[in-house]
Amino acid sequence: MSDPHTHRVIPLQDLRPSALTLPDAALRDDLRISANGLLADQRGRPLRDLRISVTDRCNFRCNYCMPKEIFDKDYAYLPHSALLSFEEITRLTRQFIAHGVQKIRLTGGEPLLRKHLERLVEQLAALRTLDGKPLDLTLTTNGSLLTRKAQALKDAGLQRITVSLDALDNAVFRRMNDVDFPVADVLAGIEAARAAGLGPIKINMVVKRGTNEQQILPMARYFRGSGMVLRFIEYMDVGATNGWRMDEVLPSADVIRLLQSELPLVALEPTQPGETAQRWGYADAQGRRHDPSLGEIGVISSVTQAFCSDCNRARLSTEGQLYLCLFAEKGYDLRHLLRGEASDADLINAIGHIWQGRRDNYSQQRQLMGPDTGPAVKRVEMSYIGG
């Protein structure tokens, strides 16, 4: 008898064979969209945040992102010639800024595997928003290379960093990264980032029921009072290779209840529109007010509480496809415009018409369909466009 929990996995190559067709108006001179920062999609959402994947490679094999049985030694990654160059990324970023983007997050795969990444950071750090301010420039990493890279990234102009860390227990952490990488080396990388001045540092923990939920309280104890923000993320149904099941999701509400059983928390207001994390501060000795010296935690309820209504993020894949949702099936190919005869005005117009036509609200749709709804289509992998 077959195992009812066995899932057929689909190679990533099947998820990126083609791109969506650009809107008809994208390159028409008579239908230009003003680049004034007022661009909005079909649901009234502005474009403020751009996630840029710089590589599809990673040195970890976390089973919720890049399971080893798919991403093995024979897996065909994108050739270097297919990747956007640093100059192409910078040029595209300028056009996104023209439409109001203020924050750039570099992702992967593991972005620090991209050679000379600090050169891209330096180029992006020189850009300015529409109101003349530096970009909010940050990066998400698994921390494995931070001891070598942190200072160079800071010197190049990187402001902040987010480190993915799913457990403090070494045995649990090694099982989750599936390459036997020790947790001590990631913690050393975090300290190197702190010493370099990359802050405030955020720590992201993906919580998977039956795998690492016993690490929630140890993680909270460890980072409480450290000046770092620890965020707990619900295990997401991204892509088609991780065998996602709803019974492996630990709702954020349960995480908060567990934390409050030992560490009283106080709800905090969002810091900016479109923020995905619900903020909670550690309470003072009386348990009534937030004690800033103890810091805060966040929960990202990516499955149980949709935050589509104010999502202001776009994602650019390492080969230049623009995705409008983390759960999208396909993206719009901007690389062929970059490498063709498109002017900056053409790029601005194409981005504007793509965003203007956006209606994506996958998480809200999933909630309407029911809690046990899994991937219905071959969606893009997180390792391809970043989280």
Side-chain angles (χ1 to χ4, degrees), residues 26 90 129 139 187 219 242 344 347:
T90 303
T129 64
L139 176 148
L187 295 176
M219 289 278 286
N242 67 3
D344 286 353
L347 292 170

Side-chain angles (χ1 to χ4, degrees), residues 76-262:
Y77 292 97
L78 293 167
H80 187 74
S81 60
L83 310 186
L84 293 184
S85 69
F86 293 163
E87 290 71 26
E88 288 172 328
I89 291 173
T90 303
R91 182 187 174 200
L92 263 183
T93 300
R94 287 194 187 97
Q95 319 320 319
F96 279 96
I97 290 172
H99 282 304
V101 162
Q102 300 169 353
K103 177 181 178 180
I104 301 293
R105 178 178 297 278
L106 300 179
T107 71
E110 170 47 50
L112 299 188
L113 290 178
R114 182 76 183 259
K115 290 183 178 179
H116 310 300
L117 184 66
E118 58 274 15
R119 296 178 185 173
L120 174 61
V121 171
E122 188 173 18
Q123 292 178 29
L124 296 176
L127 302 179
R128 293 294 180 267
T129 64
L130 289 176
D131 55 2
K133 297 178 181 178
L135 290 168
D136 181 2
L137 184 56
T138 184
L139 176 148
T140 297
T141 174
N142 62 28
S144 61
L145 302 173
L146 266 179
T147 52
R148 283 183 276 164
K149 292 281 192 176
Q151 191 60 57
L153 291 168
K154 176 63 176 179
D155 293 344
L158 189 70
Q159 298 166 353
R160 299 184 292 108
I161 203 158
T162 297
V163 180
S164 299
L165 179 63
D166 296 330
L168 279 178
D169 181 270
N170 196 46
V172 175
F173 184 70
R174 286 176 185 264
R175 284 197 302 270
M176 292 195 72
N177 67 58
D178 209 15
V179 293
D180 206 32
F181 196 89
V183 70
D185 288 3
V186 175
L187 295 176
I190 292 171
E191 287 306 311
R194 189 213 297 262
L198 290 170
I201 296 171
K202 293 180 180 178
I203 309 296
N204 281 353
M205 176 184 174
V206 173
V207 180
K208 188 175 180 183
R209 191 195 296 271
T211 301
N212 67 334
E213 73 265 38
Q214 75 280 7
Q215 290 293 292
I216 293 170
L217 280 170
M219 289 278 286
R221 296 184 196 114
Y222 184 88
F223 289 105
R224 183 173 179 259
S226 68
M228 303 180 201
V229 178
L230 173 62
R231 304 192 299 184
F232 299 95
I233 304 174
E234 292 176 346
Y235 171 45
M236 286 185 283
D237 53 329
V238 175
T241 65
N242 67 3
W244 180 87
R245 300 201 311 264
M246 184 66 195
D247 61 7
E248 292 178 321
V249 176
L250 185 68
S252 292
D254 292 350
V255 173
I256 293 298
R257 278 192 289 270
L258 175 61
L259 290 169
Q260 288 185 316
S261 69
E262 179 180 318

Side-chain angles (χ1 to χ4, degrees), residues 320-365:
Q321 290 200 14
L322 177 61
Y323 288 82
L324 303 181
C325 179
L326 182 59
F327 303 96
E329 180 182 1
K330 294 181 180 181
Y332 295 88
D333 186 5
L334 298 183
R335 186 184 63 188
H336 87 279
L337 296 179
L338 278 169
R339 296 183 180 178
E341 298 181 355
S343 65
D344 286 353
D346 292 333
L347 292 170
I348 287 174
N349 202 46
I351 292 167
H353 280 287
I354 291 169
W355 187 265
Q356 200 171 66
R358 177 189 188 231
R359 295 191 59 84
D360 300 75
N361 65 333
Y362 170 77
S363 293
Q364 291 175 337
Q365 293 175 25

